[in-house]
Amino acid sequence: MLISKKKNKKIVLIICPHPDDGEAFSSQLCVQSIKNGWKVHQVLATCDEYGTPNKILKGERIKRIRKSEMIKAQKAYGFDSLGNPQVTLHWMHYIDGFVPHNKAAILRLQKFILKLNPDIVIGPDPFVYCDGHVDHMAVGKNYFFALKWMDAQERPKRMLYFQTLMPNYFLPRLYDQIVFKTRMSHASQWSPWMLKIIDLFNPLTQISFQLKFGHLKLIEGYREVTFTQTHNPPKGIARIFYYLFHDHPLGCEEGRFIPGPKELGLNLYPESEIE
């Protein structure tokens, strides 16, 4: 059934593999949407249960830390006149490193997208990417097929990829203080000098396309989702990063999943719908 498009404010949905991916790759989209008075939602696939080399912290302890940091970032985006957060958070309840890519996961995400009915949706680029983490690849593929399997009239009006090496849609760099504050909320993962690298990394990997579209400055680039294009390697500097990351999975290094999910009491198969 076609979902009604009648609503008071535009809705933006950012689909993130882990806490901090929204802030790392689509912070400008998030902040500028808020400034335009739009409703912004982030859905998190995992809580980064293996996002630490410390065995003692793996599992529920780092999960609590990462979730707390995500809520801190949510608060850093600000509140509306009624005291509600400007960004609404949702959770898929998958486990870091174990996000499935299968029909059930695709349909679960598709159902959530249709229920939320966003005007703009953005997720990881699973084809020409600058982050080869296994969860990014799984979430990106689930995102792509969730959209592809929808009827055309049910899809969001604008569908984008982040972490892409072939951008064709750009946003100017604005609200640096807010962006920095949201990123620094993820203190277990980021430091000020690492954030400087992020600020340079995105434009560097996208410089060929910035020149092509006449946007040579520190900006945030995205790629529009289509279902007919071929995903050929990019040209220029981006080509180097493409071969550096392509088919070289990250986030599954030897020893990363010790202790195993079962030993840590982690459920790999969430039974509930996305919250």
Side-chain angles (χ1 to χ4, degrees), residues 175-185 191-192 195 199:
Y175 310 111
D176 281 357
Q177 290 185 341
I178 298 176
V179 168
F180 181 79
K181 187 176 180 181
T182 61
R183 288 176 171 177
M184 282 306 299
S185 298
S191 63
L195 293 183
D199 274 342

Side-chain angles (χ1 to χ4, degrees), residues 191-203:
S191 63
W193 69 268
M194 290 176 69
L195 293 183
K196 291 181 180 179
I197 293 176
I198 286 290
D199 274 342
L200 293 173
F201 184 76
N202 287 340

Side-chain angles (χ1 to χ4, degrees), residues 159-179:
M159 302 170 289
L160 301 171
Y161 292 127
F162 62 70
Q163 68 164 48
T164 183
L165 290 170
M166 298 182 68
N168 54 12
Y169 183 86
F170 299 91
L171 287 178
R173 176 172 170 173
L174 304 172
Y175 310 111
D176 281 357
Q177 290 185 341
I178 298 176
V179 168

